[in-house]
Amino acid sequence: MGGLAALAAATMREALNRYWGFDTLRPLQAEAVEAACAGRDSLVVLPTGGGKSLCYQLPPLLRGPGEPAFTVVVSPLIALMKDQVDGLVLAGYPAAALHGAVSPNDAANTRRAVDRGEVKLLYVSPERLLSEGFLGWLASKRVAAVAIDEAHCISQWGHDFRPEYRRLAELRDALPGVPVHAFTATATPRVREDIAAQLNMVDPAILVGIFDRPNLSYRVLPRIGNGEEQVETVLRRHPGEAAIVYCISRKQTESMAETLVSRGFSAAAYHAGLDGNTRSRVQDEFLGERLDVVVATVAFGMGIDRGDVRAVIHASMPKSIEAYQQETGRAGRDGLPAECVLLYSSSDAVKWSQLMERSAAEAEVPPAPAVLRAQRDLLFQMQRFAASARCRHQALSAYFGQACEPPCGACDVCNAELEEFPDSTTVARKILSCVARLRDPYGAAYVADVLRGSAQARVTQRGHDQLSTYGLLKEVDKDTLVSLIDQLVDIGALVRDEGEYPVLRLTGVASAILKGTQPVRMLRVRPSEVLVATDKKRRRDKGAALNPEEQALFEELRLLRRQLADERGVPPYVIFGDAPLIEMAQRRPGSIDALATIKGVGAVKLEQLGERFLEVIVAWAAERNVPLNVGASAGRPAPPVAPRDPNETNKSRLAAFAMFAQGAPLDEVAATLDRARSTTQQYLAEWVSREAPESIEPWVNAANYDAIRVAAEATGGERLKPIFDALGGNVPYDDIRLVMAHLRA
Ligand code: ADP
Ligand code: ZN
């Protein structure tokens, strides 16, 4: 916080505590707030859940008397805007919103409040901002800054281009000299540059956060059939918890939702073709925790947001890694473990290509060839991600230009959940020679029918039952066979025509395989993973390692939260997120003062809601005769039980992070979590990079720290070996790695 004067820093801490109940800013938030206070344009790229909103909500509270504080936030997500404003007002923050869903009467009141200088933060939809006379009205106010949320919508190189965002440049002319702060969760360097250019930014502070989300686990599974059973399997792991299932088409969302409902899930479809009432009902029920599963099309998931989403399932591949990152980013926004499962078939890419072509043909202004090429490229990269066997955390980080070293402990690749399909090369040869024998090109389902020896008329009438490859793979079921054919497309042995029917053709790679000069490795999900997934006894709890007693209190607190939310007409997460409730369930605060120390409980909410929560906690403890004000140790997450389970492994990583935050020594962490010292060391280095703690004294003594720093300066600090050598081999690599991580952070 070097750039902020001591006074401002004190004001900041007070505001943070009063309105949000937080003690400190995250490192990147601090830089963003500093840029805002200095009146400098900025572009902040932080993953979903990274804490972007605080970056524009806090600065207006830090302005001195006489300085303008009034800040305008442009956001395309009306539902989110409404919830954010409700949450801020509940915390005592002077915020308001103007958009299409606000009644004319309320809008007039809001404008008058702005005229009187009573509003510090005004959320506006782009449509309203660009409507007749609005910019003129704004120009007559003393606007301190403009914040633009979801700023990637301005770029046609991104995945969610919105033409109305293009016109935001008009803001600059209407409000000369007013700094602009852009925020987005997903932006490749090209999109970043485009955002800065489109908004005519002047020497912007470009702040890019860490993209990896350690609390998410990723899996990519070959889709079997329409994927409904696989979706069900994942959802069974999350009984009563929130989940989002993404599909490509509206029809698919409806049939999927129908199936899920018939199997006893609380599920509903959500897509652009539904009328506005149905859409907002589904959304309200989901946010209000009365609906668990939303089955949505990718285009219309944006307004859906809930901090405690425990699973995001893609029933088909999304059209870009940015889209994937953003959609999976909706899982675990509260920082607790959540899982992301992608069901993949290479035919998805064909479907997207066709959709892109159709929408280009139907567009009023046809997109430039370069834009179409860029879209195809994004699609191709997504396909490569899905088909590759590289650590998912690493691959996603790399896409956004960041490093993340495997094993992550939280993806299908690192946890070796896939295994080689038995006799892959032979099976591949059988498939390819069947395609060759058919002479005319056919689709994957037909090829599978022939290989399985189907007696269907369409096969026999063509005489394909006479082929030597007929029935050659009888023992493999059809869905699996189609998934194997998909994998042959992924490795380039087959290509899919993008004509009316996606038929298969052989390539040069296929000839090499058929000649026997190239081995093939096709994958299937390890049977044990299927077992684990279907074993209903292994249902996980909240993932926050609550013991049964804590879990019971947590459920009670959730009920109270829902009641308070209903009383106020806001979604429950606006009252409190899961994290503060979990901490309450673990620590059982017995007084207002104790409650105030829970992270996420701000002063105004404490005053308004504190007694209600205390009542429940105190009564609950009295009834069961258990003590209040449990010591901090109870808040420490329990060690994991099943080390191979990705969520469990990841949990232990998060548990290690929590212990490091308390300064626990390495050996203690390793012992408590039952992890190897080297693994724990790796967690520590990662934690240091991520959190940039003030000091790493508990793990490296001061003398070594200084020696390493000096040696790093002398050797350039790029590589560890020269530093090790410069220190005469007397300082362990572990220390060097850690100090370098700290210096870089
Ligand atoms: P984004 O807009 O980037 O998706 P949010 O602003 O919704 O992220 O914040 C994500 C979560 O992180 C919220 O639950 C928020 O309360 C929490 N959070 C944000 N900043 C902090 C902080 N400095 N300390 C603790 N929690 C924070
Ligand atoms: Zn991994």
Side-chain angles (χ1 to χ4, degrees):
M1 286 270 49
L4 283 181
L7 181 69
T11 315
M12 191 196 79
R13 262 197 305 278
E14 199 192 296
L16 256 187
N17 210 304
R18 175 170 175 74
Y19 294 97
W20 290 276
F22 299 153
D23 301 328
T24 49
L25 285 177
R26 295 172 180 161
L28 208 110
Q29 285 177 327
E31 287 180 53
V33 169
E34 240 174 83
C37 289
R40 185 173 169 196
D41 286 349
S42 66
L43 169 57
V44 178
V45 188
L46 264 178
T48 311
K52 287 182 287 298
S53 27
L54 206 56
C55 301
Y56 53 79
Q57 290 167 351
L58 184 58
L61 302 173
L62 307 179
R63 307 285 177 181
E67 276 183 282
F70 178 52
T71 297
V72 178
V73 184
V74 183
S75 166
L77 310 174
I78 292 179
L80 275 191
M81 256 194 269
K82 182 179 172 306
D83 292 343
Q84 288 222 353
V85 170
D86 285 347
L88 288 170
V89 169
L90 195 62
Y93 188 118
L98 288 175
H99 49 72
V102 176
S103 72
N105 200 13
D106 287 351
N109 282 337
T110 295
R111 281 208 192 202
R112 274 194 293 275
V114 171
D115 290 337
R116 287 193 301 268
E118 292 167 4
V119 175
K120 285 204 164 142
L121 198 64
L122 180 68
Y123 284 79
V124 188
S125 64
E127 294 78 12
R128 181 54 56 102
L129 184 84
L130 299 166
S131 66
E132 186 73 30
F134 195 88
L135 282 174
W137 174 73
L138 270 189
S140 72
K141 311 287 149 222
R142 289 179 76 202
V143 179
V146 176
I148 300 188
D149 210 359
E150 311 292 344
H152 59 276
C153 294
I154 208 168
S155 172
Q156 52 180 344
W157 307 120
H159 64 97
D160 193 25
F161 174 54
R162 294 175 180 225
E164 74 275 16
Y165 252 62
R166 260 293 143 86
R167 288 183 51 207
L168 291 184
E170 293 171 27
L171 263 172
R172 288 259 106 143
D173 301 330
L175 305 171
V178 173
V180 169
H181 310 299
F183 298 87
T184 174
T186 57
T188 51
R190 184 179 199 178
V191 174
R192 258 175 241 163
E193 278 163 30
D194 201 24
I195 294 171
Q198 294 292 334
L199 290 170
N200 296 316
M201 287 193 168
V202 183
D203 179 32
I206 302 210
L207 305 169
V208 182
I210 293 178
F211 269 89
D212 185 43
R213 299 272 312 275
N215 60 319
L216 302 189
S217 68
Y218 298 100
R219 283 195 180 95
V220 182
L221 303 176
R223 185 171 59 239
I224 307 291
N226 60 12
E228 283 181 354
E229 269 177 40
Q230 290 166 296
V231 168
E232 199 185 325
T233 304
V234 178
L235 292 177
R236 295 249 175 255
R237 294 201 279 260
H238 302 276
E241 297 182 335
I244 304 175
V245 181
Y246 284 109
C247 302
I248 297 187
S249 73
R250 296 172 186 185
K251 221 174 75 196
Q252 205 187 351
T253 63
E254 294 191 346
S255 66
M256 176 79 73
E258 213 168 281
T259 308
L260 291 176
V261 168
S262 75
R263 306 261 165 92
F265 289 95
S266 146
Y270 182 99
H271 60 73
L274 297 170
D275 63 84
N277 278 342
T278 311
R279 279 216 313 268
S280 51
R281 200 195 63 231
V282 169
Q283 190 166 308
D284 286 349
E285 289 188 342
F286 185 63
L287 291 175
E289 298 181 2
R290 293 183 297 276
L291 173 70
D292 292 340
V293 184
V294 172
V295 187
T297 48
V298 284
F300 276 77
M302 274 191 114
I304 298 179
D305 235 308
R306 191 169 148 180
D308 62 348
V309 172
R310 299 271 76 89
V312 167
I313 308 169
H314 282 86
S316 306
M317 184 184 80
K319 65 178 171 185
S320 69
I321 292 189
E322 281 99 327
Y324 180 67
Q325 169 89 7
Q326 188 163 53
E327 285 146 21
T328 52
R330 301 202 172 100
R333 285 181 58 151
D334 53 13
L336 302 173
E339 73 169 313
C340 308
V341 177
L342 166 58
L343 303 180
Y344 165 73
S345 151
S346 58
S347 62
D348 295 344
V350 177
K351 223 173 283 165
W352 277 118
S353 279
Q354 288 167 345
L355 281 176
M356 283 171 191
E357 257 157 44
R358 201 184 315 150
S359 84
E362 286 167 3
E364 253 166 65
V365 190
V371 172
L372 275 179
R373 262 201 309 281
Q375 284 183 354
R376 273 180 191 281
D377 195 46
L378 294 179
L379 181 61
F380 179 65
Q381 306 227 38
M382 181 66 219
Q383 194 175 4
R384 281 234 320 250
F385 168 83
S388 90
R390 184 179 184 198
C391 166
R392 312 289 175 193
H393 281 271
Q394 185 188 35
L396 287 173
S397 293
Y399 185 79
F400 295 101
Q402 298 181 342
C404 172
E405 289 311 311
C408 68
C411 84
D412 52 347
V413 177
C414 292
N415 291 302
E417 288 179 7
L418 298 176
E419 65 177 11
E420 182 165 351
F421 193 87
D423 294 322
S424 276
T425 305
T426 317
V427 172
R429 282 211 205 125
K430 290 179 179 169
I431 295 172
L432 295 174
S433 46
C434 183
V435 174
R437 297 267 145 74
L438 282 170
R439 291 176 194 282
D440 295 322
Y442 289 91
Y446 189 82
V447 174
D449 278 341
V450 175
L451 279 162
R452 297 192 70 246
S454 160
Q456 286 177 55
R458 65 170 186 172
V459 176
T460 50
Q461 276 166 11
R462 292 190 177 105
H464 289 154
D465 51 347
Q466 303 303 314
L467 294 177
S468 61
T469 49
Y470 179 79
L472 210 51
L473 288 172
K474 273 200 279 304
E475 70 283 6
V476 185
D477 68 80
K478 182 164 171 182
D479 287 334
T480 305
L481 206 44
V482 170
S483 134
L484 294 175
I485 294 174
D486 267 346
Q487 296 186 44
L488 290 174
V489 174
D490 286 328
I491 63 168
L494 292 170
V495 285
R496 251 200 193 93
D497 259 9
E498 289 183 16
E500 196 180 343
Y501 300 105
V503 296
L504 300 166
R505 293 176 198 281
L506 298 167
T507 67
V509 177
S511 330
I513 294 169
L514 285 168
K515 274 195 211 111
T517 54
Q518 185 171 327
V520 181
R521 197 163 168 265
M522 297 189 291
L523 299 175
R524 70 170 180 193
V525 180
R526 230 175 237 292
S528 63
E529 145 62 18
V530 177
L531 278 182
V532 169
T534 50
D535 182 355
K536 290 179 188 140
K537 273 181 282 186
R538 282 187 46 118
R539 284 181 182 180
R540 284 192 203 101
D541 62 6
K542 294 280 338 152
L546 291 177
N547 65 35
E549 193 173 70
E550 294 164 343
Q551 181 76 31
L553 178 53
F554 173 71
E555 295 301 337
E556 296 242 336
L557 295 172
R558 258 182 105 188
L559 278 179
L560 171 63
R561 171 174 73 180
R562 193 150 124 192
Q563 193 181 335
L564 292 170
D566 287 345
E567 286 168 18
R568 285 164 181 73
V570 297
Y573 80 84
V574 163
I575 301 285
F576 283 126
D578 275 9
L581 293 198
I582 286 174
E583 204 181 329
M584 285 182 213
Q586 290 173 322
R587 287 178 40 198
R588 296 200 288 270
S591 65
I592 286 287
D593 285 346
L595 195 57
T597 65
I598 302 276
K599 208 168 169 180
V601 180
V604 176
K605 283 194 188 172
L606 183 71
E607 199 183 293
Q608 297 192 349
L609 311 170
E611 290 295 344
R612 301 279 297 268
F613 280 90
L614 270 189
E615 261 171 41
V616 169
I617 297 168
V618 172
W620 192 89
E623 217 168 88
R624 282 164 186 76
N625 202 15
V626 294
L628 291 165
N629 302 314
V630 183
S633 64
R636 197 176 275 180
V641 274
R644 292 229 71 159
D645 182 316
N647 270 347
E648 296 294 347
T649 311
N650 205 29
K651 251 191 247 168
S652 85
R653 180 161 165 246
L654 296 175
F657 287 2
M659 292 183 75
F660 294 137
Q662 294 171 9
L666 196 71
D667 289 324
E668 185 191 321
V669 178
T672 309
L673 302 179
D674 193 22
R675 296 274 117 170
R677 198 171 194 282
S678 57
T679 311
T680 316
Q681 186 77 41
Q682 203 179 318
Y683 290 161
L684 178 58
E686 192 190 335
W687 177 77
V688 167
S689 305
R690 195 175 280 282
E691 296 296 323
E694 208 137 281
S695 143
I696 52 171
E697 185 83 36
W699 307 285
V700 179
N701 68 46
N704 276 1
Y705 189 100
D706 287 335
I708 295 166
R709 199 188 51 216
V710 171
E713 274 161 20
T715 59
E718 282 299 306
R719 290 168 44 237
L720 303 187
K721 175 112 183 4
I723 302 175
F724 182 78
D725 292 343
L727 294 169
N730 294 323
V731 177
Y733 266 112
D734 281 348
D735 283 11
I736 301 176
R737 201 170 294 122
L738 208 56
V739 172
M740 292 313 294
H742 191 233
L743 290 173
R744 287 191 193 118

